Amino acid sequence: MSTTEVRRGDPVTTVLTWEVRPGREQEFEHWTHGITRCARRFPGNEGVSWLRPEDGHRFHAVLRWSDAHRLTAWLESDERAAWHARIDDIAVELGSERQSTTGLETWFSLPGTTVRPPSAGRWC
C-alpha cells in the first residue's frame, strides 16, 4: 500500500529498507542516530525504530506517523534529502521494498492484499 492510499487522519507505519555496503555498517549506524533525531523533531512523528540484521547488510527503519500526509511531508522534506546525501557511498534505500500500513490490515482483508485477518479466538 502506498502512503497516498491511506486515508487522511489515519496513523500510518512505514518500513524502509536500506542496503548497506559491506564494511560500512558502523558509519551507517552513526548516521541512523542523526536522521532519527531529525525525524523525531518533525511534525507528526510518533517514533522511529531500527531493525539491524544479524547477518547480511539490510537494515530496516520502522517509522510511525500521525497520518500519511505528515509522513509524506517527511519523506519529501529537504531535511531528509540532506541526510540521504550524507550516505550516498555508504548505503542505498531500496524504495521497491517500502511498505506502509494503517494497522487495520491485521483485522480486515483490504482490496489488493493477501493479508488474512486473525482468527476471532476467545474474544468473540
Side-chain angles (χ1 to χ4, degrees), residues 107 118-124:
W107 292 104
S119 63
R122 65 185 190 113
W123 299 107
C124 288

Side-chain angles (χ1 to χ4, degrees), residues 1-78:
M1 172 184 293
S2 77
T3 56
T4 57
E5 294 172 5
V6 178
R7 290 183 321 192
R8 184 178 207 106
D10 287 341
V12 63
T13 299
T14 296
V15 178
L16 307 176
T17 301
W18 289 87
E19 183 75 32
V20 179
R21 287 189 171 73
R24 308 295 295 269
E25 296 83 6
Q26 270 191 318
E27 293 169 87
F28 184 77
E29 292 260 359
H30 180 73
W31 176 85
T32 65
H33 296 292
I35 195 168
T36 298
R37 281 191 304 273
C38 183
R40 285 183 176 154
R41 291 190 302 265
F42 217 81
N45 181 275
E46 296 181 350
V48 178
S49 301
W50 285 92
L51 306 174
R52 289 152 177 87
E54 289 184 30
D55 295 319
H57 305 282
R58 285 194 176 184
F59 288 68
H60 304 279
V62 181
L63 294 82
R64 293 172 307 282
W65 293 84
S66 60
D67 60 73
H69 297 282
R70 289 185 176 193
L71 168 62
T72 299
W74 163 250
L75 293 174
E76 297 174 355
S77 71
D78 292 338

